Amino acid sequence: MTETIVLLGSNGQIGSELAVALRAKFGVSNVITSDIREPKNLGEGEIFEAINVLDKEALKLLFEKHKPTQVYLLAAMLSATGEQYPLKAWDLNMNGLLNVLNLCVELGIKKVFWPSSIAVFGPHSPKVNTPQYCVMDPNSIYGISKLAGERLCEYYTEKYNLDIRSIRYPGIISWKTAPGGGTTDYAVHIFFEALAKGRYESFLSENTALPMMYMDDAVRATIQLMDAPAEKLRIRSSYNLAGISFTPTEIAQEVKKILPNFEMSYSQGDPRQAIADSWPQSIDDEYAREDWNWEIKYDLTTMTKDMIENLKNN
Ligand code: AKB
């Protein structure tokens, strides 16, 4: 069967790279990208529709026009920006998801991808090798919206027989599109600043370990999960995905191996520190490994090398 994909939130950090991978897999004309604003450029034959996911009528017209067999909903407000605009974050993250799920039920679109995050965990969740199932008490509005979203995904899968798949992404590191408004963004900024200025002031403290992942692995995981046989998937809320865990000191040491003059300093009192302190330091992803054979490719050293090479060449 030919798949037709609608990717909502395609201008963002993950969306822009997932779009490339989906077009390569399904064909350029079978992937319709969409975001609230036009993208900077559009390749030959690429189809884009400007849509606000909160506009349910416009979303319905988009789905009726393109008749997708799969919808990827990546439009969201991340953790740090969410704390500045909690009600907007809740509105976008929850009502965007509800609009998509309800339209999928109404129009008979079965397969949906929706991203969750390590932000679903909170101060009372185990910090090291955080398991799939444990106490979850997120205290950022982003984390609260993601946890509520996970419950909706499982509910809609069971009640309306949708085939919803989801990953709890760690912080994603990439060089093509900058992340927007997350707590893990320092691990991307460090590379841009290391090359531009030879130094970087981290807004997270030296020993704050967080789970992270290179974009290539994140995109590969997403497609692998979407390709997995439905009967293999035990998790219909969202899968833990471990990635690589490191502290600002550890990533600075890796950058220094390639750029020996690089200097790192640390600021105090950034509000993102409290969010990071409430999140896991590392994740246990045994369900992803068992259910859809997930395996990570990039470690801290290979990721750092690849990031710096690509940023230098581009
Ligand atoms: C953020 O920092 O808000 C995101 C995330 C971990 O979901 N990168």
Short mmCIF file of all heavy atoms in Angstrom, two decimals, residues 149-179:
data_model
loop_
_atom_site.label_atom_id
_atom_site.label_comp_id
_atom_site.label_asym_id
_atom_site.label_seq_id
_atom_site.Cartn_x
_atom_site.Cartn_y
_atom_site.Cartn_z
N GLY A 149 -0.72 13.80 27.56
CA GLY A 149 -0.77 13.36 26.15
C GLY A 149 -0.54 11.86 26.02
O GLY A 149 -1.21 11.18 25.25
N GLU A 150 0.40 11.35 26.80
CA GLU A 150 0.66 9.90 26.77
C GLU A 150 -0.58 9.11 27.16
O GLU A 150 -0.90 8.08 26.58
CB GLU A 150 1.78 9.53 27.74
CG GLU A 150 3.16 9.93 27.27
CD GLU A 150 4.25 9.30 28.13
OE1 GLU A 150 3.94 8.47 29.02
OE2 GLU A 150 5.43 9.65 27.92
N ARG A 151 -1.26 9.61 28.22
CA ARG A 151 -2.47 8.89 28.65
C ARG A 151 -3.52 8.93 27.56
O ARG A 151 -4.25 7.97 27.34
CB ARG A 151 -3.03 9.50 29.95
CG ARG A 151 -2.11 9.58 31.16
CD ARG A 151 -1.26 8.33 31.38
NE ARG A 151 -2.02 7.09 31.42
CZ ARG A 151 -1.56 5.91 30.98
NH1 ARG A 151 -0.37 5.82 30.44
NH2 ARG A 151 -2.30 4.83 31.05
N LEU A 152 -3.63 10.09 26.86
CA LEU A 152 -4.61 10.19 25.76
C LEU A 152 -4.24 9.22 24.64
O LEU A 152 -5.12 8.59 24.05
CB LEU A 152 -4.62 11.62 25.20
CG LEU A 152 -5.35 12.67 26.04
CD1 LEU A 152 -5.17 14.05 25.40
CD2 LEU A 152 -6.84 12.34 26.15
N CYS A 153 -2.95 9.13 24.33
CA CYS A 153 -2.53 8.24 23.24
C CYS A 153 -2.93 6.80 23.55
O CYS A 153 -3.48 6.09 22.69
CB CYS A 153 -1.02 8.33 23.02
SG CYS A 153 -0.54 9.87 22.22
N GLU A 154 -2.68 6.37 24.78
CA GLU A 154 -3.05 4.99 25.14
C GLU A 154 -4.57 4.83 25.11
O GLU A 154 -5.09 3.83 24.61
CB GLU A 154 -2.48 4.67 26.52
CG GLU A 154 -2.59 3.20 26.86
CD GLU A 154 -1.98 2.89 28.22
OE1 GLU A 154 -0.75 2.95 28.35
OE2 GLU A 154 -2.75 2.60 29.16
N TYR A 155 -5.28 5.84 25.60
CA TYR A 155 -6.74 5.79 25.66
C TYR A 155 -7.35 5.70 24.25
O TYR A 155 -8.21 4.87 23.97
CB TYR A 155 -7.24 7.04 26.38
CG TYR A 155 -8.74 7.11 26.55
CD1 TYR A 155 -9.36 6.38 27.57
CD2 TYR A 155 -9.52 7.89 25.71
CE1 TYR A 155 -10.73 6.44 27.73
CE2 TYR A 155 -10.89 7.95 25.86
CZ TYR A 155 -11.50 7.23 26.88
OH TYR A 155 -12.85 7.28 27.03
N TYR A 156 -6.86 6.55 23.34
CA TYR A 156 -7.40 6.56 21.97
C TYR A 156 -7.02 5.28 21.22
O TYR A 156 -7.77 4.81 20.36
CB TYR A 156 -6.93 7.80 21.20
CG TYR A 156 -7.84 9.00 21.41
CD1 TYR A 156 -7.90 9.64 22.64
CD2 TYR A 156 -8.64 9.48 20.37
CE1 TYR A 156 -8.74 10.72 22.85
CE2 TYR A 156 -9.48 10.58 20.56
CZ TYR A 156 -9.53 11.19 21.80
OH TYR A 156 -10.36 12.27 21.99
N THR A 157 -5.86 4.71 21.54
CA THR A 157 -5.49 3.44 20.90
C THR A 157 -6.49 2.36 21.31
O THR A 157 -6.99 1.60 20.46
CB THR A 157 -4.05 3.02 21.33
OG1 THR A 157 -3.15 4.04 20.95
CG2 THR A 157 -3.63 1.71 20.66
N GLU A 158 -6.79 2.31 22.61
CA GLU A 158 -7.68 1.25 23.11
C GLU A 158 -9.13 1.51 22.73
O GLU A 158 -9.83 0.63 22.26
CB GLU A 158 -7.61 1.20 24.63
CG GLU A 158 -6.19 1.09 25.15
CD GLU A 158 -5.91 -0.22 25.84
OE1 GLU A 158 -6.75 -0.61 26.65
OE2 GLU A 158 -4.86 -0.81 25.54
N LYS A 159 -9.58 2.76 22.92
CA LYS A 159 -11.01 3.03 22.77
C LYS A 159 -11.42 3.15 21.30
O LYS A 159 -12.49 2.70 20.92
CB LYS A 159 -11.36 4.33 23.52
CG LYS A 159 -12.85 4.58 23.59
CD LYS A 159 -13.21 5.53 24.70
CE LYS A 159 -14.68 5.82 24.69
NZ LYS A 159 -15.46 4.97 25.57
N TYR A 160 -10.55 3.76 20.48
CA TYR A 160 -10.96 4.03 19.09
C TYR A 160 -10.15 3.22 18.08
O TYR A 160 -10.22 3.49 16.89
CB TYR A 160 -10.82 5.53 18.79
CG TYR A 160 -11.70 6.37 19.68
CD1 TYR A 160 -11.16 7.18 20.67
CD2 TYR A 160 -13.08 6.34 19.53
CE1 TYR A 160 -11.95 7.95 21.49
CE2 TYR A 160 -13.90 7.11 20.36
CZ TYR A 160 -13.33 7.91 21.34
OH TYR A 160 -14.13 8.66 22.15
N ASN A 161 -9.34 2.28 18.59
CA ASN A 161 -8.59 1.40 17.70
C ASN A 161 -7.65 2.16 16.76
O ASN A 161 -7.44 1.76 15.62
CB ASN A 161 -9.60 0.54 16.90
CG ASN A 161 -8.94 -0.66 16.29
OD1 ASN A 161 -7.93 -1.13 16.80
ND2 ASN A 161 -9.48 -1.13 15.17
N LEU A 162 -7.11 3.29 17.23
CA LEU A 162 -6.07 3.96 16.45
C LEU A 162 -4.75 3.23 16.69
O LEU A 162 -4.60 2.48 17.66
CB LEU A 162 -5.91 5.43 16.87
CG LEU A 162 -7.09 6.37 16.64
CD1 LEU A 162 -6.70 7.80 17.01
CD2 LEU A 162 -7.58 6.32 15.20
N ASP A 163 -3.80 3.44 15.80
CA ASP A 163 -2.48 2.82 15.94
C ASP A 163 -1.48 3.95 16.24
O ASP A 163 -0.77 4.42 15.35
CB ASP A 163 -2.15 2.09 14.63
CG ASP A 163 -0.82 1.36 14.68
OD1 ASP A 163 -0.16 1.38 15.75
OD2 ASP A 163 -0.43 0.78 13.65
N ILE A 164 -1.47 4.38 17.50
CA ILE A 164 -0.64 5.54 17.87
C ILE A 164 0.68 5.04 18.43
O ILE A 164 0.71 4.11 19.24
CB ILE A 164 -1.34 6.42 18.94
CG1 ILE A 164 -2.76 6.76 18.48
CG2 ILE A 164 -0.53 7.69 19.22
CD1 ILE A 164 -3.60 7.44 19.54
N ARG A 165 1.76 5.66 17.99
CA ARG A 165 3.10 5.25 18.44
C ARG A 165 3.85 6.48 18.94
O ARG A 165 3.73 7.56 18.36
CB ARG A 165 3.84 4.58 17.28
CG ARG A 165 3.04 3.38 16.79
CD ARG A 165 3.60 2.75 15.55
NE ARG A 165 2.73 1.64 15.14
CZ ARG A 165 3.14 0.57 14.50
NH1 ARG A 165 4.43 0.46 14.16
NH2 ARG A 165 2.30 -0.39 14.17
N SER A 166 4.65 6.28 19.97
CA SER A 166 5.29 7.44 20.58
C SER A 166 6.61 7.08 21.27
O SER A 166 6.79 5.96 21.74
CB SER A 166 4.31 8.04 21.61
OG SER A 166 4.92 9.08 22.31
N ILE A 167 7.49 8.06 21.30
CA ILE A 167 8.81 7.92 21.95
C ILE A 167 8.97 9.05 22.96
O ILE A 167 8.61 10.19 22.66
CB ILE A 167 9.93 8.03 20.88
CG1 ILE A 167 10.01 6.76 20.04
CG2 ILE A 167 11.28 8.34 21.52
CD1 ILE A 167 10.96 6.85 18.86
N ARG A 168 9.54 8.71 24.11
CA ARG A 168 9.94 9.75 25.07
C ARG A 168 11.33 10.22 24.68
O ARG A 168 12.34 9.65 25.13
CB ARG A 168 9.96 9.19 26.50
CG ARG A 168 8.59 8.87 27.04
CD ARG A 168 8.67 8.17 28.40
NE ARG A 168 7.32 7.89 28.88
CZ ARG A 168 7.00 6.94 29.74
NH1 ARG A 168 7.95 6.15 30.23
NH2 ARG A 168 5.75 6.77 30.12
N TYR A 169 11.39 11.24 23.81
CA TYR A 169 12.70 11.68 23.35
C TYR A 169 13.53 12.26 24.49
O TYR A 169 13.02 13.04 25.31
CB TYR A 169 12.57 12.80 22.31
CG TYR A 169 12.08 12.40 20.94
CD1 TYR A 169 10.97 13.01 20.38
CD2 TYR A 169 12.75 11.45 20.18
CE1 TYR A 169 10.52 12.68 19.11
CE2 TYR A 169 12.30 11.10 18.91
CZ TYR A 169 11.19 11.72 18.38
OH TYR A 169 10.75 11.40 17.13
N PRO A 170 14.82 11.92 24.49
CA PRO A 170 15.76 12.68 25.34
C PRO A 170 16.07 14.01 24.66
O PRO A 170 15.45 14.34 23.64
CB PRO A 170 16.98 11.76 25.40
CG PRO A 170 16.82 10.75 24.31
CD PRO A 170 15.45 10.86 23.73
N GLY A 171 17.03 14.78 25.15
CA GLY A 171 17.45 15.99 24.45
C GLY A 171 18.07 15.60 23.12
O GLY A 171 18.87 14.67 23.06
N ILE A 172 17.69 16.29 22.05
CA ILE A 172 18.18 15.90 20.71
C ILE A 172 19.26 16.88 20.25
O ILE A 172 19.07 18.11 20.29
CB ILE A 172 17.02 15.87 19.69
CG1 ILE A 172 15.86 14.99 20.18
CG2 ILE A 172 17.53 15.41 18.32
CD1 ILE A 172 16.17 13.52 20.30
N ILE A 173 20.37 16.32 19.78
CA ILE A 173 21.50 17.14 19.34
C ILE A 173 21.62 17.07 17.83
O ILE A 173 21.64 15.97 17.26
CB ILE A 173 22.78 16.64 20.03
CG1 ILE A 173 22.59 16.85 21.53
CG2 ILE A 173 24.02 17.37 19.52
CD1 ILE A 173 23.58 16.17 22.38
N SER A 174 21.64 18.24 17.19
CA SER A 174 21.68 18.26 15.73
C SER A 174 22.32 19.55 15.25
O SER A 174 22.39 20.52 15.99
CB SER A 174 20.26 18.16 15.16
OG SER A 174 19.53 19.31 15.52
N TRP A 175 22.76 19.55 13.99
CA TRP A 175 23.45 20.73 13.47
C TRP A 175 22.65 21.46 12.39
O TRP A 175 22.94 22.60 12.07
CB TRP A 175 24.84 20.34 12.93
CG TRP A 175 24.82 19.25 11.90
CD1 TRP A 175 24.87 17.91 12.15
CD2 TRP A 175 24.71 19.40 10.49
NE1 TRP A 175 24.80 17.20 10.98
CE2 TRP A 175 24.71 18.09 9.93
CE3 TRP A 175 24.63 20.50 9.63
CZ2 TRP A 175 24.62 17.88 8.56
CZ3 TRP A 175 24.53 20.27 8.26
CH2 TRP A 175 24.53 18.97 7.75
N LYS A 176 21.61 20.83 11.81
CA LYS A 176 20.90 21.48 10.69
C LYS A 176 19.94 22.56 11.17
O LYS A 176 19.91 23.66 10.64
CB LYS A 176 20.13 20.43 9.89
CG LYS A 176 21.02 19.62 8.98
CD LYS A 176 20.21 18.72 8.07
CE LYS A 176 21.13 17.70 7.41
NZ LYS A 176 20.43 16.49 7.02
N THR A 177 19.10 22.23 12.13
CA THR A 177 18.11 23.19 12.65
C THR A 177 18.29 23.29 14.16
O THR A 177 18.34 22.26 14.84
CB THR A 177 16.67 22.71 12.34
OG1 THR A 177 16.59 22.43 10.95
CG2 THR A 177 15.63 23.75 12.71
N ALA A 178 18.37 24.50 14.66
CA ALA A 178 18.58 24.69 16.10
C ALA A 178 17.30 24.32 16.85
O ALA A 178 16.20 24.48 16.34
CB ALA A 178 18.94 26.14 16.38
N PRO A 179 17.45 23.79 18.08
CA PRO A 179 16.26 23.51 18.88
C PRO A 179 15.66 24.81 19.37
O PRO A 179 16.34 25.83 19.40
CB PRO A 179 16.81 22.70 20.06
CG PRO A 179 18.24 23.11 20.17
CD PRO A 179 18.70 23.53 18.80
#
